[in-house]
Amino acid sequence: MAEKKPGAYNGYTEARKRANEKYNAKFHEVKVRMDPDRHEMVKKHAQEQGESTSAFINRAIDEQIERDNQ
């Protein structure tokens, strides 16, 4: 039998499931529809900025709200 190494992936456990649910409960999910070309453009731009697509979209929203409130 193979010896388990510390930090080795041991499968999706009930503890991991509970931790994921606890983390996800902190957020609301919003679905945005866009065509595949636009999605690739947004994804590529976010990567070029060193951020995730979600982080980029959230930053864009924050910046627009700030401009609208000026």
Side-chain angles (χ1 to χ4, degrees):
M1 180 177 261
E3 189 176 317
K4 287 188 178 181
K5 297 178 184 176
Y9 181 69
N10 296 320
Y12 188 73
T13 64
E14 282 299 315
R16 170 56 32 210
K17 180 181 176 182
R18 286 191 307 275
N20 287 353
E21 288 171 352
K22 183 179 176 182
Y23 174 81
N24 288 330
K26 299 177 189 178
F27 302 98
H28 286 270
E29 194 170 307
V30 177
K31 184 179 276 193
V32 177
R33 289 182 179 20
M34 60 182 78
D35 63 52
D37 291 337
R38 184 171 181 85
H39 177 260
E40 282 304 312
M41 178 187 68
V42 170
K43 183 178 172 182
K44 182 178 181 231
H45 182 78
Q47 288 173 343
E48 289 170 354
Q49 301 304 308
E51 55 192 352
S52 68
T53 303
S54 290
F56 167 68
I57 291 170
N58 279 308
R59 182 170 60 85
I61 291 168
D62 291 343
E63 290 176 4
Q64 186 61 51
I65 290 172
E66 186 176 324
R67 282 193 299 272
D68 289 348
N69 289 331
Q70 289 179 350

